[in-house]
Amino acid sequence: MKALRVLNNNVVLASDEKGRPVILTGRGIGFSSHQGKPVDPALIERVFVPADDRDPAPDADHLAEALALISEKVLQAVVTALGDVGIEGRESTRPTLAIAIADHVAGALDRAAQGIVIEYPLRAEVQTLYATEYAQAQLLLQAINQHVDPELEPSEATALALHLVNAGFVSGDLSFTYTMTGVIQQMLAVVRERYGLDVSHQSMNVARFITHVRYLFVRIQQRQQLTGQESTIGKGIREHYPEATRTAQQLATIVELRLGRRLSEDEVSYLALHVARMTMDVARAA
């Protein structure tokens, strides 16, 4: 790999064997790196490969600058912890995740040093809606605490979980994840009120509904909803589950009001299918 730009002692923007811009981090890697010259492989601790549908060159430069602003100690703690818990390997295609988490950890360490403890208001929602990411976040927090002083409070797992959820979206905008969390809660509240479904106790069908809505949000953000016109399968769902379809249309209205995006007929149909499956839980329990 050849160095393109030395950001600081520990961050170098380089090009790999394919000519792609990559971000290299490592203790003292900037000392011995020079523009246009090969980077010593022994000094490379982590490789970040910006990957999306846009021109990666300016993104890599911007991300490298962002990484350079984070203290070496915090960055090293985060990237090591991400690797220790298996969230990221030595080569990462999601540098925004490491940057976002490192930036958050830096702020959390400042608060911890001042004795400030934050109880995140979304803790219950995150534990319920994003159980997998929350479990990962707890492990990540434990791993980070092995490398920082003072240790971070257990409540920080909520924020870390939201960052892990947010990593699945193109924009990298955490506000979108907050919005999604609120919309999913509204949807479940509608189903609970209409059918008497206790969504606080996770059934398999409730979990499937949450997963479906999360992927729906990804499709909305990427403007790749299921077919804009009603398919044969979608029509069959709507005819077979008329009550669930009416509920799904109400849920679609919530999405449109919160996101300004109208759902396609097929998206509404598949929401109806998941609503119908959730109501089967009620019927079996009766």
Side-chain angles (χ1 to χ4, degrees):
M1 298 188 190
K2 290 185 178 180
L4 298 177
R5 186 179 170 198
V6 176
L7 278 301
N8 63 22
N9 294 339
N10 309 299
V11 181
V12 172
L13 180 65
S15 60
D16 66 8
E17 298 79 4
K18 298 179 180 179
R20 300 177 302 174
V22 295
I23 304 166
L24 309 178
T25 64
R27 190 181 301 275
I29 193 172
F31 277 123
S32 60
S33 297
H34 303 281
Q35 186 173 354
K37 301 295 183 180
V39 178
D40 184 354
L43 297 176
I44 301 173
E45 296 178 5
R46 196 72 178 269
V47 180
F48 294 98
V49 185
D52 56 35
D53 296 330
R54 300 165 292 177
D55 178 9
D59 290 328
D61 193 71
H62 173 75
L63 291 170
E65 290 178 352
L67 275 172
L69 294 174
I70 299 171
S71 75
E72 177 206 347
K73 180 180 178 181
V74 171
L75 179 60
Q76 189 62 39
V78 169
V79 296
T80 300
L82 286 169
D84 288 346
V85 300
I87 294 175
E88 291 280 72
R90 184 171 181 270
E91 181 172 297
S92 167
T93 57
R94 298 184 299 177
T96 51
L97 174 62
I99 293 171
I101 290 180
D103 182 65
H104 176 84
V105 169
L109 286 170
D110 287 340
R111 292 192 298 272
Q114 300 175 53
I116 301 173
V117 178
I118 292 180
E119 285 296 333
Y120 293 94
L122 291 176
R123 181 177 181 179
E125 289 85 348
V126 170
Q127 288 178 307
T128 300
L129 301 180
Y130 314 126
T132 299
E133 286 84 359
Y134 188 77
Q136 286 182 316
Q138 289 180 305
L139 294 176
L140 179 60
L141 180 60
Q142 292 174 11
I144 291 173
N145 277 338
Q146 292 179 10
H147 303 284
V148 299
D149 184 30
E151 291 189 356
L152 302 182
E153 293 290 328
S155 59
E156 294 297 338
T158 299
L160 294 179
L162 286 170
H163 281 295
L164 294 178
V165 172
N166 194 56
F169 295 106
V170 174
S171 70
D173 183 2
L174 195 58
S175 65
F176 191 79
T177 300
Y178 284 119
T179 299
M180 178 180 70
T181 303
V183 172
I184 294 176
Q185 284 296 94
Q186 281 187 268
M187 288 178 157
L188 290 174
V190 168
V191 175
R192 180 178 61 244
E193 292 170 6
R194 293 195 67 163
Y195 300 99
L197 178 64
D198 184 0
V199 295
S200 64
H201 294 87
Q202 287 289 312
S203 73
M204 182 61 69
N205 285 325
V206 173
R208 286 171 177 162
F209 173 81
I210 293 170
T211 299
H212 175 80
V213 174
R214 290 180 61 177
Y215 281 110
L216 167 62
F217 268 70
V218 173
R219 291 193 295 275
I220 290 173
Q221 192 191 51
Q222 298 180 349
R223 300 181 183 277
Q224 295 178 351
Q225 288 191 49
L226 299 177
T227 56
Q229 297 181 346
E230 190 173 31
S231 66
T232 301
I233 295 176
K235 185 177 180 180
I237 293 172
R238 295 163 77 92
E239 290 177 349
H240 195 70
Y241 303 111
E243 177 60 27
T245 296
R246 285 189 286 272
T247 303
Q249 289 168 337
Q250 186 177 351
L251 302 183
T253 299
I254 293 173
V255 173
E256 185 173 358
L257 290 174
R258 293 291 298 273
L259 297 182
R261 303 282 180 84
R262 186 184 181 90
L263 296 189
S264 69
E265 293 297 322
D266 270 357
E267 292 288 7
V268 175
S269 294
Y270 282 102
L271 275 178
L273 179 60
H274 281 281
V275 169
R277 285 174 172 171
M278 283 194 291
T279 60
M280 291 176 189
D281 293 337
V282 178
R284 293 192 189 101

